[in-house]
């Protein structure tokens, strides 16, 4: 009897493990509980066979066949799977107002100003026969941001020196407020006199700004809100995201390209002037890129005409494996379209940075760059006439391939509400 129970248990376990691999059940499990799409879009759902019908509950969605529906108007409805009139599955369908953005592709120069001053290293100060770092002794770490000294707000590096000199001459300690991650910490820092330079120092390397190049992804024509880069800007020394106070984007001209190879990513070389050709502000530096508002957006005469007008966007579940294009600059300010392949795309219900794997297939782009290079981050990805995301990272061991981020998360961080009232209700 005991052995029989064991064998029955094993058989039941094998059946339980095998059931999810049964094709009809696999198809049933592949049906989503909810679909969100835009007005005037085609909605496709899995089929369960000839005996199963799919009907819609509202007139804003028109059935084309048993697995395809056309969203005619905004609103909520249900798609109902039925067998002989008996419902076996319901799918909530939300049709949103169409959102259009102008795809980018332009090369931009970027300058960020940090909130406070960023500590990027320690150094020793020679005093008599010993060397010490007052900053390190004060437990100020690399990656900390100095917000205040003696209660006064510090905005840039020039603000620090007068406090150091004054405290040093008086033999006093500085009261320093630093931000470390989400913590705010108070500490005491005593400047020491460097005998060699005859100057008071605190043994810290600090920085208040960062600059580089990237690619514009999109801008929303009515609000002038834009998104670029597709990934966070981190400090080159601390490798930590830069917490910004403000920033500027400017026009940039690509002068040359260092071709990428296996194990060595390439790089765009570009020139720009922060003082001239300003086109926008930077108000946010997030995992999905930099964001702000354009102050000026002149016509780019070297950009393909079909991409110089607003295009609809696609949500993550609408992205398909297969051919697509990216817009980027290889020379001067000329934006060109190049062929790529979407190798995989993950439908995402929550924000995530690595939503797509892409591969460069365009012969001209491969010849010129070897694949994805630094400075190409933010290049918009377009599929079937819709903006679906942006290039973000290259695979170091395969420069022809890399990651892309879905456009909906960039729009969300840009402050473009693609979900309308539905998002407000959810929040």
């Amino acid at each position: 009897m005991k052995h029989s129970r064991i064998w029955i248990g094993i058989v039941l376990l094998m059946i339980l493990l095998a059931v999810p691999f049964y094709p009809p059940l696999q198809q049933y499990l592949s049906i989503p509980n909810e679909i969100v799409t835009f007005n005037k879009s085609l909605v496709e759902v899995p089929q369960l066979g000839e005996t199963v019908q799919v009907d819609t509950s509202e007139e804003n969605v028109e059935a084309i066949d048993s697995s395809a529906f056309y969203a005619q108007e905004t609103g909520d409805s249900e798609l109902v799977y039925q067998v002989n009139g008996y419902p076996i599955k319901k799918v909530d369908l939300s049709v949103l107002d169409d959102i259009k953005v102008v795809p980018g592709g332009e090369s931009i120069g970027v300058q960020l100003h940090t909130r406070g001053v960023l500590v990027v290293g320690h150094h020793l100060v020679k005093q008599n026969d010993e060397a010490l770092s007052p900053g390190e002794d004060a437990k100020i770490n690399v990656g900390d941001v100095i917000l205040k000294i003696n209660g006064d707000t510090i905005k840039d590096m020039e603000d620090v020196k007068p406090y150091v000199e004054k405290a040093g001459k008086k033999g006093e300690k500085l009261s320093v407020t630093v931000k470390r991650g989400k913590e705010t910490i108070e500490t005491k820092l005593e400047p020491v006199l460097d005998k060699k330079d005859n100057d008071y120092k605190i043994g810290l390397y600090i920085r208040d700004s960062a600059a580089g190049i990237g690619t514009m992804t999109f801008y929303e024509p009515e609000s002038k809100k834009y998104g670029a880069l597709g990934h966070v800007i981190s400090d080159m020394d601390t490798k930590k995201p830069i917490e910004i106070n403000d920033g500027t984007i400017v026009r940039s001209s690509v002068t040359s390209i260092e071709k990428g190879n296996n194990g060595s990513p390439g790089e765009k070389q570009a020139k720009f002037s922060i003082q001239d050709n300003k086109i926008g502000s930077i108000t946010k530096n997030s995992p999905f890129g930099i964001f702000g508002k354009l102050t000026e957006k002149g016509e780019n005469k070297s950009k393909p005409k079909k991409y110089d007008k607003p295009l609809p966007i696609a949500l993550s579940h609408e992205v398909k494996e297969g051919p697509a294009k990216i817009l980027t600059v290889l020379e001067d300010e000329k934006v060109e379209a190049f062929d790529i392949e979407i190798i995989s795309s993950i439908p995402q219900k929550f924000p995530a940075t690595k939503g797509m794997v892409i591969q460069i297939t365009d012969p001209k782009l491969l010849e010129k760059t070897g694949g994805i290079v630094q400075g190409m981050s933010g290049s918009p990805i377009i599929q079937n006439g819709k903006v679906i995301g942006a290039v973000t990272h290259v695979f170091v061991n395969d420069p022809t391939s890399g990651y892309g981020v879905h456009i909906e998360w960039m729009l969300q961080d840009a402050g473009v509400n693609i979900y309308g009232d539905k998002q407000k209700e959810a929040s």
Side-chain angles (χ1 to χ4, degrees):
M1 180 66 71
K2 183 178 180 181
H3 289 297
S4 297
R5 288 178 179 175
I6 293 174
W7 279 108
I8 291 172
I10 292 173
V11 171
L12 290 175
L13 179 61
M14 292 177 66
I15 292 173
L16 186 63
L17 293 173
V19 162
F21 298 98
Y22 182 55
L25 186 59
Q26 279 185 307
Q27 289 177 309
Y28 181 83
L29 293 174
S30 70
I31 302 171
N33 293 320
E34 181 183 18
I35 296 176
V36 179
T37 192
F38 292 107
N39 194 14
K40 310 303 180 186
S41 294
L42 183 66
V43 179
E44 296 180 296
V45 295
Q47 286 183 299
L48 294 184
E50 296 180 0
T51 60
V52 181
Q53 292 185 325
V54 187
D55 295 320
T56 177
S57 64
E58 302 293 338
E59 293 183 355
N60 68 322
V61 179
E62 179 187 3
I64 297 175
D65 56 37
S66 60
S67 64
F69 298 83
Y70 182 70
Q72 299 183 104
E73 298 177 7
T74 59
D76 295 331
S77 63
E78 285 184 333
L79 301 179
V80 184
Y81 285 77
Q82 299 182 57
V83 177
N84 296 325
Y86 180 78
I88 60 171
K89 177 75 176 182
K90 292 183 179 180
V91 180
D92 294 325
L93 177 61
S94 299
V95 181
L96 308 176
D97 284 322
D98 198 14
I99 297 290
K100 291 186 177 182
V101 297
V102 178
E106 295 90 350
S107 180
I108 56 172
V110 177
Q111 184 173 54
L112 297 179
H113 298 282
T114 63
R115 181 188 172 202
V117 294
L118 179 66
V119 177
V120 298
H122 298 113
H123 69 86
L124 297 176
V125 182
K126 291 184 179 180
Q127 187 184 45
N128 300 324
D129 295 330
E130 63 177 343
L132 68 158
S133 171
E136 192 170 11
D137 292 342
K139 308 300 182 185
I140 297 176
N141 298 338
V142 172
D144 287 352
V145 177
I146 298 176
L147 299 177
K148 294 181 179 181
I149 296 180
N150 293 343
D152 298 330
T153 300
I154 299 299
K155 294 183 179 180
D156 51 47
M157 292 189 297
E158 285 71 22
D159 291 343
V160 177
K161 191 175 180 63
Y163 290 96
V164 174
E165 288 184 349
K166 184 176 180 181
K169 289 176 181 178
K170 290 186 174 183
E172 298 176 344
K173 292 184 178 181
L174 296 169
S175 296
V176 182
T177 304
V178 302
K179 187 173 185 296
R180 182 177 300 159
K182 295 182 179 180
E183 285 186 278
T184 300
I185 299 168
E186 303 289 337
T187 187
K188 296 290 185 179
L189 173 58
E190 184 176 6
V192 298
L193 182 66
D194 187 319
K195 293 293 185 180
K196 181 180 179 181
D197 296 338
N198 195 32
D199 199 6
Y200 287 96
K201 296 182 179 180
I202 55 177
L204 296 175
Y205 291 114
I206 57 176
R207 182 158 49 235
D208 60 11
S209 64
I213 66 166
T215 302
M216 175 73 71
T217 304
F218 69 87
Y219 77 92
E220 201 279 316
E222 292 187 12
S223 66
K224 301 300 182 185
K225 294 176 179 178
Y226 77 86
L229 267 65
H231 63 74
V232 71
I233 297 180
S234 297
D235 182 78
M236 62 182 179
D237 292 309
T238 67
K239 309 301 180 187
K240 294 181 179 181
I242 296 175
E243 187 173 345
I244 70 167
N245 182 50
D246 57 45
T248 303
I249 59 171
V250 300
R251 297 185 185 280
S252 171
S253 176
V254 176
T255 55
S256 63
I257 293 177
E258 182 181 328
K259 193 172 181 178
N261 296 297
N262 289 348
S264 176
E267 183 178 5
K268 285 185 181 182
Q269 303 291 335
K271 61 180 181 180
F272 62 90
S273 169
I274 291 298
Q275 303 303 319
D276 303 319
N277 300 320
K278 293 182 181 180
I279 59 173
S281 62
I282 302 173
T283 57
K284 191 173 187 178
N285 177 32
S286 87
F288 300 97
I290 58 171
F291 305 91
K293 184 173 286 191
L294 296 181
T295 54
E296 181 266 331
K297 182 66 180 177
E299 181 184 2
N300 188 335
K301 295 182 180 180
S302 63
K303 189 173 182 178
K305 290 296 182 183
K306 65 184 295 187
Y307 300 119
D308 201 24
K309 58 185 179 182
L311 296 179
I313 69 164
L315 299 177
S316 62
H317 68 271
E318 297 176 301
V319 177
K320 308 296 182 184
E321 294 179 3
K325 289 186 181 291
I326 63 168
L327 301 180
T328 200
V329 174
L330 297 185
E331 185 178 359
D332 197 19
E333 297 184 27
K334 184 181 179 182
V335 178
E336 299 179 82
F338 300 99
D339 293 325
I340 68 166
E341 188 85 6
I342 307 294
I343 303 301
S344 67
S345 177
I346 304 170
Q348 297 169 321
K349 291 186 178 181
F350 302 99
T353 54
K354 297 176 181 178
M356 290 177 276
V357 173
I358 65 172
Q359 184 174 43
I360 306 297
T361 59
D362 196 288
K364 179 181 176 181
L365 188 56
L366 290 171
E367 173 63 27
K368 187 76 174 179
T369 67
I372 300 170
V373 296
Q374 294 178 31
M376 198 181 285
S377 298
S379 299
I381 305 172
I382 298 171
Q383 186 180 61
N384 299 325
K386 295 183 177 183
V387 182
I388 66 171
V391 178
T392 58
H393 296 85
V394 60
F395 294 163
V396 176
N397 293 325
D398 179 12
T400 67
S401 302
Y403 287 114
V405 62
H406 288 123
I407 193 66
E408 59 189 295
W409 311 131
M410 291 188 70
L411 287 165
Q412 181 174 287
D413 272 13
V416 178
N417 182 12
I418 65 177
Y419 298 102
D421 294 335
K422 183 178 177 65
Q423 188 181 50
K424 294 178 184 176
E425 290 171 7
S427 61

